[in-house]
Amino acid sequence: MRYLITIAYDGTLFSGYQKQPRERTVQGELEKALKEINGGKKVTAHASGRTDAKVHAIAQKVHFDLDTKITVDKLEKALNSLLPEDIYVKKAEEVNDDFHARFSAIGKEYIYILNMGEYNPLERNYVYQHNKKLDVVEMERAMKYLEGTHNFKSFTKADEEKEDYVRTISQTNLIRDTKDVNKITLVFVGTGFLRYMVRNIVGTLIEVGEGKRRSEEVIDILRKEDRKVAGKTANAEGLYLKNVFY
Amino acid sequence: MRYLITIAYDGTLFSGYQKQPRERTVQGELEKALKEINGGKKVTAHASGRTDAKVHAIAQKVHFDLDTKITVDKLEKALNSLLPEDIYVKKAEEVNDDFHARFSAIGKEYIYILNMGEYNPLERNYVYQHNKKLDVVEMERAMKYLEGTHNFKSFTKADEEKEDYVRTISQTNLIRDTKDVNKITLVFVGTGFLRYMVRNIVGTLIEVGEGKRRSEEVIDILRKEDRKVAGKTANAEGLYLKNVFY
């Protein structure tokens, strides 16, 4: 039986989603709990994609196969009782054998939260503490240049070897917090994202907001297909995988 | 020279404000940084009051004396560069020699944040995860019975020996989050609070919200002056010292 779960996690204390020896990872914790549910037999937890160390998830999607049938309600409860407090299963569902959390995904939504106001120690792991004003109008303009189908090689991890760097960003949004004028959320919806792509885009947008680059430069950066021309990689702690679409 | 600082801290990784041997405390971290600024000579950091382990502060007030005069701007910067990332100095000011962060205080504001919706792993250290609906109207009613000058012995730490358990709660408030219907903030403004008083009040209010007690019972509880008749102590992680008034 194949199952799909929707999970939220606090990335702070994880070395990312993907299992690594001697590291605390989301996959590692999930597979430990799943093995117990599966009568001691190993289960592989396939996510829609990995998230890096300290990156959070509001709705990551993970599929796996269990040897025995279990109701989704029981599965949800069993997992939540076995998992550590920084991972939570929001939903479990049965899916067909040909469903794959990664390959069946048709899109994803990421958000990145920034604080332009005073440093806030209470949000240091959840909101990027930029702590300086940014020109959000100019940033919003730059985001619009990223919408559409482009080669995003300039925004991927420097040594990332891919056959294809073309991705589609279907929607971007800059949301001003209604309660806190200094807090903004950058939203990116797309067909898929390369490694570090959102963080490299955000790092570049921050430089636009600081007046170090003009918004139109984003067009040049995309065209050059060279990581060196884009901005720095933004910190991981402001980034959330918000949704995966099937 | 006497200085007063306004600090914010994330209580998660502290064993409370007050210094204790072999424990990581806010006072311990502050005094380590202050000693360095004071040319290696010990400085005592007097807070408006202690906060318990895991309790947060949005604006705790602390005074101390330094041997040398330093501008408040420099003091602020020096402290923020020496302090760990979970404490932040928002403001430093010079005060008179007879000012005392604790004894000069005329009031305090505490808030307690609760989540009545689904468990949120990302807020587990910052919002109490009640994860069940509460009757907030009834809770609000109970809060109003607490306003005024009362003997709060029923709501203090069981073994707390005090000459005087009379305190004044000048204002209470139950605020519904405008973005999240499941999140509420309980506000308490008063002349002073006994140990565990806010958490014991909140624990009792939760029982009112669950329908286990009627709101009017709060009147009885106050009158009985006995810790055993009040509700459980609410978890520390939802509590914030929001302000101290002078």
Side-chain angles (χ1 to χ4, degrees), chain A residues 26-49:
Chain A
V26 178
Q27 189 182 8
E29 294 297 326
L30 277 177
E31 293 185 356
K32 220 190 291 172
L34 285 168
K35 191 179 173 183
E36 220 166 300
I37 293 170
N38 202 39
K41 278 181 73 182
K42 191 189 180 314
V43 179
T44 303
H46 302 272
S48 73

Side-chain angles (χ1 to χ4, degrees), chain A:
Chain A
M1 285 301 307
R2 183 158 292 186
Y3 296 90
L4 173 68
I5 55 173
T6 304
I7 58 172
Y9 49 83
D10 177 344
T12 309
L13 303 175
F14 289 111
S15 306
Y17 179 83
Q18 195 174 260
K19 208 153 80 168
Q20 296 169 63
R22 287 172 305 278
E23 297 283 340
R24 186 172 185 267
T25 63
V26 178
Q27 189 182 8
E29 294 297 326
L30 277 177
E31 293 185 356
K32 220 190 291 172
L34 285 168
K35 191 179 173 183
E36 220 166 300
I37 293 170
N38 202 39
K41 278 181 73 182
K42 191 189 180 314
V43 179
T44 303
H46 302 272
S48 73
R50 45 178 135 170
T51 51
D52 299 317
K54 290 173 195 290
V55 173
H56 311 294
I58 296 169
Q60 167 71 290
K61 302 278 186 171
V62 177
H63 88 259
F64 49 82
D65 297 321
L66 294 181
D67 292 336
T68 46
K69 205 173 151 68
I70 172 173
T71 67
V72 289
D73 198 55
K74 272 192 185 155
L75 176 59
E76 222 179 284
K77 287 204 175 70
L79 277 172
N80 280 328
S81 77
L82 292 166
L83 286 168
E85 62 174 11
D86 46 359
I87 308 179
Y88 179 70
V89 178
K90 296 169 114 169
K91 194 178 165 185
E93 15 183 355
E94 289 181 24
V95 285
N96 287 334
D97 276 0
D98 59 354
F99 179 91
H100 193 289
R102 183 168 157 217
F103 301 122
S104 305
I106 56 163
K108 274 186 192 171
E109 177 176 358
Y110 279 98
I111 62 169
Y112 194 96
I113 315 178
L114 281 127
N115 173 23
M116 307 183 291
E118 191 177 44
Y119 176 77
N120 185 346
L122 289 148
E123 295 186 336
R124 71 194 186 285
N125 296 320
Y126 306 97
V127 175
Y128 172 59
Q129 300 295 316
H130 185 67
N131 307 134
K132 280 185 292 287
K133 278 274 174 215
L134 290 166
D135 182 341
V136 292
V137 174
E138 201 57 22
M139 288 170 78
E140 228 168 345
R141 203 168 286 150
M143 286 168 85
K144 293 304 160 194
Y145 291 124
L146 293 165
E147 291 185 1
T149 303
H150 305 287
N151 182 314
F152 283 97
K153 190 169 185 206
S154 296
F155 290 107
T156 193
K157 196 162 169 282
D159 55 357
E160 188 80 343
E161 289 295 336
K162 282 269 179 192
E163 322 85 82
D164 183 14
Y165 299 92
V166 176
R167 296 290 183 276
T168 301
I169 293 187
S170 49
Q171 202 192 322
T172 67
N173 234 317
L174 188 151
I175 302 169
R176 294 159 179 82
D177 194 293
T178 49
K179 283 201 251 175
D180 180 350
V181 290
N182 286 314
K183 204 175 277 177
I184 53 168
T185 299
L186 311 179
V187 182
F188 302 92
V189 181
T191 54
F193 292 88
L194 299 159
R195 276 210 87 183
Y196 290 2
M197 182 169 142
V198 179
R199 289 166 61 189
N200 290 342
I201 287 175
V202 172
T204 307
L205 291 173
I206 288 173
E207 294 174 14
V208 169
E210 290 175 324
K212 291 179 185 161
R213 293 172 185 264
R214 284 163 307 109
S215 56
E216 307 85 62
E217 274 187 55
V218 167
I219 305 168
D220 281 334
I221 296 170
L222 284 170
R223 215 184 15 143
K224 285 187 176 147
E225 300 179 11
D226 178 3
R227 173 69 189 92
K228 291 191 287 294
V229 300
K232 275 184 281 207
T233 307
N235 285 26
E237 65 268 18
L239 184 61
Y240 296 72
L241 172 57
K242 194 175 173 200
N243 220 338
V244 184
F245 309 108
Y246 294 101

